[in-house]
Every structure is written in structure tokens, then in C-alpha cells.
Amino acid sequence: MAYERLFRLDGRRAVVIGAGSGIGRESALALAAHGADVVCADRDLAAATATAERCGGAARLLDVLDTGELRAAAAAEHPVDVLVFTAATNVRKRLLDYTGEEFDRVVALNLRASFEVIRAFGAGMVERGRGSIIGFASIRASVTEPGQGVYSATKAGLVQLLRTAAAEFGPSGVRVNAIAPGVVETPLTKQIKDNPAWYDAYAAKSALGRWATAEEMAGAVVYLASDAASFVTGSVLHVDGGWTAVDGRFDPPN
């Protein structure tokens, strides 16, 4: 085993959906830094192009809510060795305040589009007999709070979709895993960051006592994409600063 090359991705083609900003952008930069040929896909072409210019990759306009466009992209970019997808949305409301339209919007992007992404790119990987699919779930797949019900449900559903894909694609040599971040400073969490009390409460919840940066998710992506994770599939890798390990903040007296 050439351990010095365990995390190298030379000669591999990676597609990162959501590469225009946040975790997707940092994932694309990290994969490229380890040798991958990266396609930066996003519904914001200018943002995707900016990321592509930084990592020496290509940019692609892609709206994952358009199934036909998604399938066309998978066909055009074939063969793909690594797929990373981060696109998600959230409407932070209590269940009794939710509208049907808001429910449909969150489910459409977080769950239905993920279903189509896995199928569109997974088919080519299964045909070739290799590949790594990495989807971004959340700590909300396992722990929730008031106002996070629909988002949590979609992330729990995504975990099960990815696990099922791992079971179905595994015999063909394709690995499928989820990364579950804690609180990360991205455009999706701007609403929280703009509220100091809310922001500080979330920081205090993790064992490390702070938020993560998007860059801190990149190592997990490279790991799951690489041969270092050659026997890892159907897993949920929590990158949450210990959030899901800590239950309460009381410090008992000596």
C-alpha cells in the first residue's frame, strides 16, 4: 500500500453540485488540491465560474430541480468518479406555522432533487463499476429542535436514501456516504449569524464551543472521495464539533 498517496485523487473526475459558495466551494477547492479534475456545478453560473477559476476546473450551470437538465448534465460529464452535492434550503418555522408551499419547497430541493441526483450520476458509476457519492446531510437528521421539523425530516430522509444507494450500488463497487455537519458559517445559516444571541447559543452547544467554517468540511470530503475510505460506505460522518455527543451544559461540582 502506497500510503503516501492514500488521499491523492489524480486522474479522477469530480462533480461538485453547489460549488458556487460555502461548503460546495471549499469541497471543490480541496478535491482539486488533491489532484482531481473538478467540475463546479451551480445554479449561479458566475459563482461556479469563480470557483472553477480558483481550482483550475470547469464551470457548469445546473438547476437540480430540473430533472431533465440534471440527467443531461450527468450524461455530458460522464465518466464521473466522485460526486459531491450540497444544495439545500430551510424554512425555520414551527410546524403549525408552516404552509404547504413552504413544505413542498424544502422537500423538493432537499429530498426529491437529491433522489434525482443520486440516480442520475449513480447510474453511470454503477455501469463503470466504481465511484464515490458524497451527500451532505446534517446533525438535524438525528437531533432536532423547534422550527426545524421539515428540514430535519428531509435530512433524515436523505441519510436513508444514501444508505439505500450504498446497499444497491455497493455490489458494483460504488461507495455512497453522508457527511453530517453541525453549525457551519455558510449563506444558509446567515439568519442565525445575524442574531447574536442565537449565534452564541449554537456555539455553546458544541464540545468545541464554536461554529465551524466551510473549510473544515473539506477534509471529510477528500477522505470519503479517496482510497483512504475504500471500505467505507453507507456511513454518516459527523463533522459537528461534538454537538451530537454533548447532552446539556451542566458542569457537575467536584
Side-chain angles (χ1 to χ4, degrees), residues 90-189:
N90 194 3
V91 176
R92 295 180 177 87
K93 284 186 177 180
R94 293 174 182 264
L95 296 177
L96 296 182
D97 297 325
Y98 242 83
T99 67
E101 184 277 330
E102 289 167 337
F103 178 91
D104 290 343
R105 175 154 47 92
V106 175
V107 171
L109 181 57
N110 295 6
L111 197 55
R112 176 58 192 266
S114 296
F115 168 73
E116 297 295 353
V117 166
I118 293 167
R119 282 160 31 100
F121 286 88
M125 292 182 177
V126 167
E127 181 183 346
R128 294 179 68 215
R130 64 179 184 273
S132 174
I133 296 174
I134 304 164
F136 270 84
S138 168
I139 56 170
R140 296 302 175 206
S142 54
V143 294
T144 191
E145 66 180 0
Q148 296 276 21
V150 179
Y151 180 81
S152 297
T154 61
K155 290 302 184 178
L158 174 59
V159 166
Q160 292 303 86
L161 273 179
L162 291 167
R163 282 174 166 164
T164 302
E168 295 180 355
F169 300 173
S172 298
V174 179
R175 298 183 297 106
V176 186
N177 293 286
I179 294 173
V183 289
V184 186
E185 294 191 0
T186 70
L188 187 63
T189 55

Coordinates of all heavy atoms in Angstrom, one line a residue, residues 90-189:
N90 N -33.8 25.8 3.8 CA -34.5 25.6 5.0 C -35.5 26.8 5.2 O -35.2 27.9 4.9 CB -33.5 25.6 6.2 CG -34.1 25.1 7.5 OD1 -35.3 24.7 7.6 ND2 -33.3 25.1 8.5
V91 N -36.7 26.5 5.8 CA -37.6 27.5 6.3 C -37.8 27.2 7.7 O -38.4 26.2 8.1 CB -39.0 27.4 5.5 CG1 -40.0 28.4 6.1 CG2 -38.8 27.6 4.0
R92 N -37.3 28.1 8.6 CA -37.3 27.8 10.0 C -38.6 28.3 10.6 O -38.7 29.5 11.0 CB -36.1 28.5 10.7 CG -34.7 27.9 10.2 CD -33.6 28.6 10.9 NE -32.3 28.0 10.5 CZ -31.6 28.3 9.4 NH1 -32.1 29.2 8.6 NH2 -30.5 27.6 9.1
K93 N -39.5 27.4 10.7 CA -40.8 27.8 11.3 C -41.3 26.5 12.0 O -41.0 25.4 11.7 CB -41.9 28.1 10.2 CG -41.7 29.4 9.5 CD -42.9 29.7 8.6 CE -42.9 31.0 8.0 NZ -44.0 31.2 7.0
R94 N -42.1 26.8 13.0 CA -42.8 25.7 13.8 C -43.8 25.1 12.8 O -44.3 25.7 11.9 CB -43.5 26.2 15.0 CG -42.4 26.7 16.1 CD -43.1 27.3 17.3 NE -42.1 27.8 18.2 CZ -41.6 27.1 19.3 NH1 -42.1 25.9 19.5 NH2 -40.7 27.6 20.1
L95 N -44.1 23.8 13.1 CA -45.0 23.0 12.2 C -46.3 23.7 12.0 O -46.9 23.6 10.9 CB -45.1 21.6 12.8 CG -43.9 20.7 12.9 CD1 -44.2 19.4 13.5 CD2 -43.3 20.5 11.5
L96 N -46.9 24.2 13.1 CA -48.2 24.8 13.0 C -48.2 26.1 12.1 O -49.3 26.6 11.7 CB -48.8 25.1 14.3 CG -49.1 23.8 15.2 CD1 -49.7 24.2 16.5 CD2 -50.0 22.8 14.5
D97 N -47.1 26.7 11.9 CA -47.0 27.9 11.1 C -46.6 27.7 9.7 O -46.6 28.6 8.9 CB -45.9 28.9 11.8 CG -46.3 29.3 13.2 OD1 -47.6 29.4 13.4 OD2 -45.4 29.4 14.0
Y98 N -46.2 26.4 9.4 CA -45.7 26.1 8.0 C -46.9 26.2 7.0 O -48.0 25.8 7.3 CB -45.2 24.7 8.0 CG -43.7 24.6 7.6 CD1 -42.7 24.8 8.6 CD2 -43.3 24.3 6.3 CE1 -41.4 24.7 8.2 CE2 -42.0 24.2 6.0 CZ -41.0 24.4 6.9 OH -39.7 24.3 6.6
T99 N -46.6 26.6 5.8 CA -47.5 26.5 4.7 C -47.2 25.3 3.9 O -46.1 24.8 3.9 CB -47.5 27.7 3.9 OG1 -46.3 27.8 3.1 CG2 -47.7 29.0 4.7
G100 N -48.2 24.8 3.1 CA -48.0 23.7 2.2 C -46.9 24.0 1.2 O -46.1 23.2 0.8
E101 N -46.9 25.3 0.7 CA -46.0 25.7 -0.3 C -44.5 25.6 0.2 O -43.6 25.2 -0.4 CB -46.3 27.1 -0.8 CG -45.4 27.6 -1.9 CD -44.1 28.2 -1.4 OE1 -44.0 28.7 -0.3 OE2 -43.1 28.1 -2.2
E102 N -44.4 26.1 1.5 CA -43.0 26.0 2.1 C -42.6 24.6 2.3 O -41.4 24.3 2.1 CB -43.1 26.8 3.4 CG -43.2 28.3 3.3 CD -43.6 29.0 4.6 OE1 -44.1 28.3 5.5 OE2 -43.3 30.2 4.7
F103 N -43.5 23.7 2.7 CA -43.2 22.3 2.9 C -42.7 21.7 1.6 O -41.6 21.1 1.5 CB -44.4 21.5 3.4 CG -44.2 20.1 3.6 CD1 -43.7 19.5 4.8 CD2 -44.4 19.2 2.5 CE1 -43.6 18.2 4.9 CE2 -44.3 17.8 2.6 CZ -43.8 17.3 3.8
D104 N -43.4 22.0 0.5 CA -43.1 21.4 -0.8 C -41.8 22.0 -1.3 O -41.0 21.2 -1.9 CB -44.2 21.8 -1.8 CG -45.5 21.0 -1.6 OD1 -45.5 20.0 -0.8 OD2 -46.5 21.5 -2.1
R105 N -41.5 23.2 -1.0 CA -40.2 23.8 -1.5 C -39.0 23.2 -0.8 O -38.0 22.9 -1.5 CB -40.2 25.3 -1.2 CG -39.0 26.1 -1.5 CD -39.2 27.5 -1.9 NE -40.1 28.2 -0.9 CZ -39.7 28.8 0.2 NH1 -38.4 28.9 0.4 NH2 -40.5 29.4 1.0
V106 N -39.1 23.0 0.5 CA -38.0 22.4 1.2 C -37.8 20.9 0.8 O -36.7 20.4 0.6 CB -38.2 22.5 2.8 CG1 -37.1 21.7 3.5 CG2 -38.2 23.9 3.2
V107 N -38.9 20.2 0.7 CA -38.8 18.8 0.3 C -38.3 18.6 -1.1 O -37.5 17.7 -1.4 CB -40.2 18.1 0.5 CG1 -40.2 16.7 -0.1 CG2 -40.6 18.0 2.0
A108 N -38.7 19.5 -2.0 CA -38.4 19.4 -3.4 C -36.8 19.5 -3.6 O -36.3 18.8 -4.4 CB -39.0 20.5 -4.2
L109 N -36.2 20.4 -2.9 CA -34.8 20.6 -3.1 C -34.0 19.6 -2.2 O -33.1 18.9 -2.7 CB -34.3 22.0 -2.7 CG -32.8 22.3 -2.9 CD1 -32.4 22.1 -4.3 CD2 -32.5 23.8 -2.5
N110 N -34.3 19.5 -0.9 CA -33.5 18.7 0.0 C -33.7 17.2 -0.2 O -32.7 16.4 0.0 CB -33.9 19.0 1.4 CG -33.6 20.4 1.8 OD1 -33.1 21.2 1.0 ND2 -33.8 20.7 3.1
L111 N -34.8 16.8 -0.7 CA -35.1 15.3 -0.8 C -35.3 14.8 -2.2 O -34.6 14.0 -2.7 CB -36.3 14.9 0.1 CG -36.4 13.4 0.4 CD1 -35.1 12.9 1.1 CD2 -37.6 13.2 1.4
R112 N -36.3 15.4 -2.9 CA -36.6 15.0 -4.3 C -35.4 15.2 -5.2 O -35.0 14.3 -6.0 CB -37.8 15.7 -4.8 CG -38.2 15.3 -6.2 CD -38.4 13.8 -6.4 NE -38.5 13.4 -7.8 CZ -39.6 13.3 -8.5 NH1 -40.8 13.6 -7.9 NH2 -39.6 12.9 -9.8
A113 N -34.8 16.4 -5.1 CA -33.7 16.7 -6.0 C -32.5 15.8 -5.7 O -31.8 15.3 -6.6 CB -33.3 18.1 -5.9
S114 N -32.3 15.5 -4.4 CA -31.2 14.6 -4.0 C -31.5 13.2 -4.6 O -30.5 12.5 -5.0 CB -31.1 14.5 -2.5 OG -30.8 15.8 -1.9
F115 N -32.7 12.7 -4.5 CA -33.1 11.5 -5.1 C -32.7 11.4 -6.6 O -32.1 10.4 -7.1 CB -34.6 11.3 -4.9 CG -35.2 10.2 -5.7 CD1 -35.0 8.8 -5.4 CD2 -36.1 10.5 -6.8 CE1 -35.7 7.8 -6.1 CE2 -36.7 9.5 -7.5 CZ -36.5 8.1 -7.2
E116 N -33.0 12.5 -7.3 CA -32.7 12.5 -8.8 C -31.2 12.6 -9.0 O -30.7 12.0 -10.0 CB -33.4 13.7 -9.4 CG -34.9 13.6 -9.4 CD -35.5 12.4 -10.2 OE1 -34.7 11.7 -10.9 OE2 -36.7 12.2 -10.1
V117 N -30.5 13.4 -8.2 CA -29.0 13.5 -8.3 C -28.4 12.1 -8.1 O -27.5 11.7 -8.9 CB -28.5 14.5 -7.2 CG1 -26.9 14.3 -7.1 CG2 -28.8 15.9 -7.6
I118 N -28.7 11.4 -7.1 CA -28.2 10.1 -6.8 C -28.4 9.1 -8.0 O -27.5 8.4 -8.4 CB -28.8 9.5 -5.5 CG1 -28.3 10.3 -4.3 CG2 -28.4 8.0 -5.3 CD1 -29.1 10.0 -3.0
R119 N -29.6 9.2 -8.5 CA -30.0 8.3 -9.6 C -29.2 8.7 -10.9 O -28.7 7.8 -11.6 CB -31.5 8.3 -9.9 CG -32.2 7.5 -8.9 CD -33.7 7.8 -8.7 NE -34.4 8.3 -9.9 CZ -35.2 7.6 -10.7 NH1 -35.3 6.3 -10.5 NH2 -35.8 8.2 -11.7
A120 N -29.2 10.0 -11.2 CA -28.6 10.4 -12.5 C -27.1 10.1 -12.6 O -26.7 9.6 -13.6 CB -28.9 11.9 -12.6
F121 N -26.4 10.4 -11.5 CA -25.0 10.2 -11.5 C -24.6 8.7 -11.1 O -23.6 8.2 -11.5 CB -24.2 11.2 -10.6 CG -24.2 12.6 -11.3 CD1 -25.2 13.5 -11.1 CD2 -23.1 12.9 -12.1 CE1 -25.1 14.7 -11.6 CE2 -23.0 14.2 -12.7 CZ -24.1 15.1 -12.4
G122 N -25.4 8.2 -10.2 CA -25.2 6.8 -9.8 C -25.2 5.8 -10.9 O -24.5 4.8 -10.9
A123 N -26.1 6.0 -11.8 CA -26.3 5.0 -12.9 C -25.0 4.8 -13.7 O -24.6 3.7 -14.0 CB -27.4 5.5 -13.9
G124 N -24.3 5.9 -14.0 CA -23.0 5.8 -14.7 C -21.9 5.2 -13.9 O -21.1 4.4 -14.4
M125 N -21.9 5.5 -12.6 CA -20.9 4.8 -11.7 C -21.2 3.3 -11.6 O -20.2 2.5 -11.7 CB -21.0 5.5 -10.4 CG -20.5 6.9 -10.3 SD -20.6 7.6 -8.6 CE -19.9 9.2 -8.9
V126 N -22.4 2.9 -11.5 CA -22.7 1.5 -11.4 C -22.3 0.8 -12.7 O -21.8 -0.3 -12.7 CB -24.2 1.3 -11.1 CG1 -24.7 -0.1 -11.3 CG2 -24.6 1.8 -9.7
E127 N -22.6 1.4 -13.8 CA -22.2 0.9 -15.1 C -20.7 0.7 -15.2 O -20.2 -0.4 -15.7 CB -22.7 1.8 -16.2 CG -22.4 1.2 -17.6 CD -22.9 2.2 -18.7 OE1 -23.7 3.1 -18.4 OE2 -22.5 2.0 -19.9
R128 N -19.9 1.6 -14.7 CA -18.5 1.5 -14.8 C -17.9 0.6 -13.7 O -16.7 0.2 -13.8 CB -17.9 2.9 -14.7 CG -18.2 3.9 -15.8 CD -17.6 5.2 -15.5 NE -16.1 5.2 -15.6 CZ -15.3 5.9 -14.8 NH1 -15.8 6.7 -13.9 NH2 -14.0 5.8 -15.0
G129 N -18.6 0.5 -12.6 CA -18.1 -0.4 -11.5 C -17.2 0.3 -10.5 O -16.5 -0.4 -9.8
R130 N -17.4 1.6 -10.4 CA -16.6 2.4 -9.4 C -17.2 3.8 -9.3 O -17.9 4.3 -10.1 CB -15.1 2.4 -9.8 CG -14.8 3.2 -11.0 CD -13.3 3.2 -11.2 NE -12.8 4.0 -12.3 CZ -12.7 3.5 -13.6 NH1 -13.1 2.3 -13.9 NH2 -12.3 4.3 -14.6
G131 N -16.8 4.4 -8.1 CA -17.3 5.7 -7.9 C -17.5 6.0 -6.4 O -17.7 5.1 -5.6
S132 N -17.6 7.3 -6.1 CA -17.9 7.7 -4.7 C -18.9 8.8 -4.7 O -18.7 9.8 -5.4 CB -16.6 8.1 -4.0 OG -16.9 8.7 -2.7
I133 N -20.0 8.6 -4.0 CA -21.1 9.6 -3.9 C -21.1 10.1 -2.5 O -21.1 9.3 -1.5 CB -22.4 9.0 -4.3 CG1 -22.5 8.6 -5.8 CG2 -23.6 10.1 -4.0 CD1 -23.7 7.9 -6.2
I134 N -21.0 11.4 -2.4 CA -21.0 12.1 -1.0 C -22.1 13.1 -1.0 O -22.1 14.1 -1.7 CB -19.6 12.7 -0.8 CG1 -18.5 11.7 -0.9 CG2 -19.6 13.4 0.6 CD1 -17.1 12.4 -1.1
G135 N -23.1 12.9 -0.1 CA -24.2 13.8 0.1 C -24.1 14.5 1.4 O -23.6 13.9 2.4
F136 N -24.5 15.8 1.5 CA -24.4 16.5 2.8 C -25.8 16.4 3.5 O -26.8 17.0 3.0 CB -24.0 17.9 2.5 CG -22.5 18.1 2.6 CD1 -21.7 17.8 1.5 CD2 -21.9 18.4 3.8 CE1 -20.3 17.9 1.6 CE2 -20.5 18.6 3.9 CZ -19.7 18.3 2.8
A137 N -25.8 15.7 4.6 CA -26.9 15.6 5.5 C -26.8 16.7 6.5 O -26.4 17.9 6.2 CB -27.1 14.3 6.1
S138 N -27.0 16.4 7.8 CA -26.9 17.4 8.8 C -27.1 16.7 10.2 O -27.6 15.6 10.2 CB -28.0 18.5 8.7 OG -28.2 19.3 9.8
I139 N -26.6 17.4 11.2 CA -26.9 16.8 12.6 C -28.5 16.8 12.8 O -29.0 16.0 13.6 CB -26.3 17.7 13.7 CG1 -26.8 19.2 13.5 CG2 -24.8 17.6 13.7 CD1 -26.4 20.0 14.7
R140 N -29.2 17.6 12.0 CA -30.7 17.6 12.1 C -31.3 16.3 11.6 O -32.5 16.1 11.8 CB -31.3 18.8 11.4 CG -30.8 20.1 11.9 CD -31.2 20.3 13.4 NE -30.7 21.5 14.0 CZ -30.5 21.7 15.2 NH1 -30.7 20.7 16.1 NH2 -30.1 22.8 15.7
A141 N -30.5 15.4 11.0 CA -31.0 14.1 10.7 C -31.2 13.2 11.9 O -32.0 12.3 11.8 CB -30.1 13.4 9.7
S142 N -30.6 13.6 13.0 CA -30.7 12.8 14.2 C -31.1 13.5 15.4 O -31.7 13.0 16.4 CB -29.3 12.1 14.5 OG -28.3 13.0 14.5
V143 N -30.9 14.8 15.5 CA -31.3 15.7 16.6 C -32.0 16.9 16.0 O -31.6 17.5 15.0 CB -30.2 16.1 17.5 CG1 -29.6 14.9 18.2 CG2 -29.1 16.8 16.8
T144 N -33.1 17.4 16.7 CA -33.8 18.5 16.1 C -34.2 19.5 17.2 O -33.7 19.3 18.3 CB -35.1 18.0 15.3 OG1 -35.6 19.1 14.6 CG2 -36.1 17.4 16.3
E145 N -34.9 20.5 16.9 CA -35.4 21.5 17.8 C -36.6 22.2 17.2 O -36.9 22.0 16.0 CB -34.3 22.5 18.0 CG -33.9 23.3 16.8 CD -32.8 24.4 17.1 OE1 -32.3 24.4 18.2 OE2 -32.4 25.1 16.1
P146 N -37.3 23.0 18.0 CA -38.5 23.7 17.4 C -38.1 24.5 16.2 O -37.0 25.2 16.2 CB -39.0 24.5 18.6 CG -38.5 23.8 19.8 CD -37.2 23.2 19.4
G147 N -38.9 24.5 15.2 CA -38.6 25.3 14.0 C -37.8 24.6 12.9 O -37.5 25.1 11.9
Q148 N -37.4 23.3 13.2 CA -36.5 22.6 12.3 C -37.2 21.3 11.7 O -36.5 20.5 11.1 CB -35.2 22.2 13.0 CG -34.3 23.4 13.4 CD -33.5 24.0 12.2 OE1 -33.8 23.7 11.1 NE2 -32.4 24.7 12.6
G149 N -38.4 21.2 12.0 CA -39.1 19.9 11.7 C -39.0 19.4 10.3 O -38.6 18.3 10.0
V150 N -39.3 20.3 9.3 CA -39.4 19.8 7.9 C -37.9 19.6 7.4 O -37.6 18.6 6.7 CB -40.1 20.8 7.0 CG1 -40.1 20.4 5.6 CG2 -41.6 20.9 7.5
Y151 N -37.0 20.5 7.7 CA -35.6 20.4 7.3 C -35.1 19.1 7.9 O -34.4 18.3 7.2 CB -34.9 21.6 7.9 CG -33.4 21.6 7.5 CD1 -32.9 22.0 6.3 CD2 -32.4 21.2 8.5 CE1 -31.6 22.0 6.0 CE2 -31.1 21.2 8.2 CZ -30.7 21.6 6.9 OH -29.3 21.6 6.6
S152 N -35.3 18.9 9.2 CA -34.8 17.6 9.9 C -35.4 16.4 9.2 O -34.6 15.4 9.0 CB -35.2 17.6 11.3 OG -34.6 18.7 12.0
A153 N -36.6 16.4 8.8 CA -37.2 15.3 8.1 C -36.6 15.0 6.8 O -36.3 13.8 6.4 CB -38.7 15.5 8.0
T154 N -36.3 16.1 6.1 CA -35.6 15.9 4.7 C -34.2 15.3 4.9 O -33.8 14.5 4.1 CB -35.6 17.1 3.9 OG1 -34.9 18.2 4.6 CG2 -37.0 17.7 3.6
K155 N -33.5 15.8 5.9 CA -32.1 15.3 6.1 C -32.1 13.9 6.6 O -31.2 13.1 6.2 CB -31.4 16.3 7.1 CG -31.1 17.6 6.5 CD -30.3 17.5 5.2 CE -29.9 18.9 4.6 NZ -29.1 18.8 3.4
A156 N -33.0 13.5 7.4 CA -33.1 12.1 7.8 C -33.5 11.3 6.6 O -32.9 10.2 6.5 CB -34.2 12.0 8.9
G157 N -34.4 11.7 5.8 CA -34.7 11.0 4.6 C -33.5 10.9 3.6 O -33.3 9.8 3.0
L158 N -32.7 12.0 3.5 CA -31.5 11.9 2.7 C -30.6 10.8 3.2 O -30.0 10.1 2.4 CB -30.8 13.3 2.7 CG -29.5 13.3 1.9 CD1 -29.6 12.9 0.5 CD2 -28.9 14.7 2.0
V159 N -30.4 10.8 4.5 CA -29.5 9.7 5.0 C -29.9 8.3 4.6 O -29.1 7.5 4.2 CB -29.4 9.8 6.6 CG1 -28.8 8.6 7.2 CG2 -28.6 11.1 7.0
Q160 N -31.2 8.1 4.7 CA -31.7 6.8 4.3 C -31.6 6.5 2.8 O -31.4 5.4 2.4 CB -33.2 6.6 4.8 CG -33.2 6.5 6.4 CD -32.4 5.4 6.9 OE1 -31.2 5.6 7.2 NE2 -33.0 4.2 7.1
L161 N -31.8 7.6 2.0 CA -31.6 7.4 0.6 C -30.2 7.0 0.3 O -29.9 6.1 -0.5 CB -31.9 8.7 -0.1 CG -33.4 9.0 -0.6 CD1 -33.4 10.4 -1.2 CD2 -33.9 8.0 -1.5
L162 N -29.2 7.7 0.9 CA -27.8 7.4 0.7 C -27.5 6.0 1.2 O -26.7 5.3 0.5 CB -27.0 8.5 1.4 CG -27.0 9.9 0.8 CD1 -26.4 10.9 1.7 CD2 -26.4 9.9 -0.6
R163 N -28.0 5.6 2.3 CA -27.7 4.3 2.8 C -28.3 3.2 1.9 O -27.7 2.2 1.6 CB -28.3 4.1 4.2 CG -27.5 4.8 5.3 CD -28.2 4.7 6.6 NE -27.3 5.0 7.7 CZ -27.6 5.3 8.9 NH1 -28.9 5.4 9.2 NH2 -26.8 5.6 9.9
T164 N -29.5 3.5 1.3 CA -30.1 2.5 0.4 C -29.3 2.5 -0.9 O -29.0 1.4 -1.4 CB -31.5 2.9 0.1 OG1 -32.3 3.0 1.3 CG2 -32.2 1.9 -0.9
A165 N -28.8 3.6 -1.3 CA -27.9 3.6 -2.5 C -26.6 2.9 -2.3 O -26.1 2.1 -3.1 CB -27.6 5.1 -2.9
A166 N -26.1 3.0 -1.1 CA -24.9 2.2 -0.7 C -25.2 0.7 -0.8 O -24.3 0.0 -1.3 CB -24.5 2.6 0.7
A167 N -26.3 0.3 -0.3 CA -26.7 -1.1 -0.4 C -26.9 -1.6 -1.8 O -26.5 -2.7 -2.2 CB -28.0 -1.4 0.4
E168 N -27.5 -0.8 -2.6 CA -27.8 -1.2 -4.0 C -26.6 -1.0 -5.0 O -26.5 -1.8 -5.9 CB -29.0 -0.3 -4.5 CG -30.3 -0.6 -3.7 CD -31.5 0.2 -4.2 OE1 -31.3 1.0 -5.1 OE2 -32.6 0.0 -3.7
F169 N -25.8 0.0 -4.7 CA -24.7 0.3 -5.6 C -23.4 -0.5 -5.2 O -22.5 -0.7 -6.0 CB -24.4 1.8 -5.7 CG -25.5 2.6 -6.2 CD1 -25.4 4.0 -6.2 CD2 -26.7 2.1 -6.7 CE1 -26.4 4.8 -6.6 CE2 -27.7 2.9 -7.2 CZ -27.5 4.3 -7.1
G170 N -23.4 -0.9 -4.0 CA -22.1 -1.5 -3.4 C -21.6 -2.7 -4.2 O -20.4 -2.8 -4.5
P171 N -22.5 -3.6 -4.6 CA -22.1 -4.8 -5.4 C -21.4 -4.4 -6.7 O -20.6 -5.2 -7.2 CB -23.3 -5.6 -5.6 CG -24.2 -5.2 -4.4 CD -23.9 -3.8 -4.2
S172 N -21.6 -3.2 -7.1 CA -21.0 -2.7 -8.4 C -19.7 -1.9 -8.1 O -19.1 -1.4 -9.0 CB -22.0 -1.9 -9.2 OG -23.1 -2.6 -9.6
G173 N -19.3 -1.8 -6.8 CA -18.1 -1.1 -6.5 C -18.2 0.4 -6.2 O -17.2 1.1 -6.2
V174 N -19.5 0.8 -6.1 CA -19.7 2.3 -5.8 C -20.0 2.5 -4.4 O -20.8 1.8 -3.8 CB -20.9 2.8 -6.7 CG1 -21.2 4.2 -6.4 CG2 -20.7 2.5 -8.2
R175 N -19.3 3.4 -3.8 CA -19.5 3.8 -2.4 C -20.3 5.0 -2.3 O -20.2 5.9 -3.1 CB -18.1 4.1 -1.7 CG -17.2 2.8 -1.7 CD -15.9 3.1 -1.0 NE -15.1 4.2 -1.6 CZ -14.9 5.4 -1.1 NH1 -15.6 5.8 0.0 NH2 -14.2 6.3 -1.8
V176 N -21.2 5.0 -1.2 CA -22.1 6.1 -1.0 C -22.1 6.5 0.5 O -22.4 5.6 1.3 CB -23.6 5.8 -1.5 CG1 -24.5 7.0 -1.4 CG2 -23.6 5.2 -2.9
N177 N -21.9 7.7 0.8 CA -21.8 8.1 2.2 C -22.4 9.5 2.4 O -22.6 10.3 1.5 CB -20.3 8.2 2.7 CG -19.7 6.8 2.7 OD1 -20.0 6.0 3.6 ND2 -18.8 6.5 1.7
A178 N -22.7 9.8 3.7 CA -23.2 11.1 4.0 C -22.2 11.8 5.0 O -21.6 11.2 5.8 CB -24.6 11.0 4.7
I179 N -22.2 13.1 4.9 CA -21.5 14.0 5.9 C -22.5 14.8 6.6 O -23.4 15.3 6.0 CB -20.4 14.9 5.2 CG1 -19.3 14.1 4.6 CG2 -19.9 15.9 6.2 CD1 -18.4 14.9 3.7
A180 N -22.4 14.8 7.9 CA -23.4 15.5 8.7 C -22.7 16.6 9.5 O -22.2 16.4 10.6 CB -24.1 14.5 9.7
P181 N -22.7 17.8 8.9 CA -22.1 18.9 9.7 C -23.0 19.4 10.9 O -24.2 19.1 10.9 CB -22.1 20.0 8.6 CG -22.4 19.4 7.3 CD -23.3 18.2 7.6
G182 N -22.3 20.1 11.7 CA -23.0 20.8 12.8 C -23.4 22.2 12.3 O -23.9 22.3 11.2
V183 N -23.1 23.2 13.1 CA -23.4 24.6 12.6 C -22.2 25.1 11.9 O -21.1 25.1 12.4 CB -23.8 25.5 13.8 CG1 -25.2 25.1 14.3 CG2 -22.8 25.4 15.0
V184 N -22.4 25.5 10.7 CA -21.3 26.0 9.8 C -21.7 27.3 9.3 O -22.8 27.6 8.9 CB -21.1 25.0 8.6 CG1 -19.9 25.4 7.8 CG2 -21.0 23.6 9.1
E185 N -20.7 28.2 9.2 CA -21.0 29.6 8.7 C -21.0 29.5 7.2 O -20.0 29.5 6.5 CB -19.9 30.5 9.2 CG -19.9 30.7 10.7 CD -19.0 31.9 11.2 OE1 -18.4 32.5 10.3 OE2 -19.0 32.1 12.4
T186 N -22.2 29.5 6.7 CA -22.5 29.5 5.2 C -23.7 30.4 4.9 O -24.3 30.9 5.9 CB -22.9 28.1 4.7 OG1 -24.2 27.7 5.2 CG2 -21.9 27.0 5.2
P187 N -24.0 30.7 3.7 CA -25.1 31.5 3.3 C -26.4 31.0 3.9 O -27.3 31.7 4.3 CB -25.2 31.5 1.8 CG -23.7 31.3 1.4 CD -23.1 30.4 2.5
L188 N -26.5 29.6 4.1 CA -27.8 29.0 4.6 C -28.0 29.4 6.1 O -29.1 29.4 6.5 CB -27.7 27.5 4.4 CG -29.0 26.7 4.8 CD1 -30.1 27.1 3.8 CD2 -28.7 25.2 4.7
T189 N -26.9 29.7 6.8 CA -27.1 30.0 8.2 C -26.9 31.5 8.6 O -26.8 31.9 9.7 CB -26.0 29.2 9.1 OG1 -24.7 29.5 8.6 CG2 -26.3 27.7 9.0

